[in-house]
Amino acid sequence: MSTNTWFSALKKSAVAIVGAATMLSLASPAAAAQPQPDGEVGVQVIGGTRAAKGEFPWMVRLSMGCGGALYAPQIVLTAAHCVGRTGNNTSITATIGVVDLQDTTATKIRSTYVHRSPTYGTSTGGDWALIKLASPVTNVKPLKIATTKEFDTGTFDIAGWGDTREGANTGSRYLLKAKVPFVPDTTCKGIGGYYASLIPAAEICAGDLANGGIDTCQGDSGGPMFRKDNAGEWIEVGIVSHGNGCARRNAPGVYTEVSTFASAIAAAAARI
């Protein structure tokens, strides 16, 4: 993946935290090259700090180098660019229940099936996918997803095991977290260049335009962008998708707008 263009689109497959600036960078699939059959490593969190064990229990690390969130006891929600085509798939291992990837208490479950959004790569957008696990996770409450645009604004949280600086390609042993502000569609698209192809109905931008320094990055792809709802519970509003580099000024991360695809996600989950 080109560090100059973040695959020109796919930016969030692996999450990490950038050292000096402690920045979060999102790796996303925007302008992305076609992923490998079993997905590809993406971006990680830059400008973040370590998450505490149990703080985000629904966070999932996928063996192809992406992140995800537990959508249902036996289903993980991730990015379409992280996986191959829809169908039986036993090649992915989901790691759940730890923040340190070397923690031997982690729950590890193999995949059995993958559903890849049929609209991914089209003008409609849809960088999301579901991974069915061989057995349910019984000790973790799944992360709710937004079904309306009510929560598609404000300050969001991001987390992942991706790179801590652009171009590192190493990932992070520990789960890192950070906060990023919402960037309106008109502002994001108005940046031009890489962002001129933003799909406002399907994507949502977030990042510190003036200063940079906080973002998701390679290895973070597929992980959730989330915030609290009116009841004080975590809710997923975005999926790490792509971006122009990691944590650059005037270059926000681009996330799949979950509320746009909530009904399609629910329907697919019911089928698998």
Side-chain angles (χ1 to χ4, degrees), residues 28-109:
S28 349
Q34 289 299 313
Q36 298 301 311
D38 294 319
E40 52 183 286
V41 176
V43 188
Q44 65 192 103
V45 174
I46 292 174
T49 57
R50 285 192 194 180
K53 187 170 183 177
E55 187 173 4
F56 309 123
W58 25 258
M59 284 293 302
V60 178
R61 178 65 172 172
L62 299 170
S63 56
M64 81 287 280
C66 282
L70 196 66
Y71 171 81
Q74 206 165 343
I75 298 176
V76 174
L77 176 61
T78 186
H81 75 263
C82 287
V83 302
R85 59 181 176 277
T86 294
N88 294 330
N89 186 322
T90 59
S91 69
I92 302 168
T93 298
T95 298
I96 307 167
V98 295
V99 293
D100 179 354
L101 294 178
Q102 294 184 23
D103 189 333
T104 57
T105 66
T107 296
K108 294 180 180 288
I109 307 175

Side-chain angles (χ1 to χ4, degrees), residues 183 186-196 209 250-252:
V183 176
T186 52
T187 301
C188 192
K189 195 174 181 69
I191 293 171
Y194 178 91
Y195 297 93
L209 298 185
N250 211 38

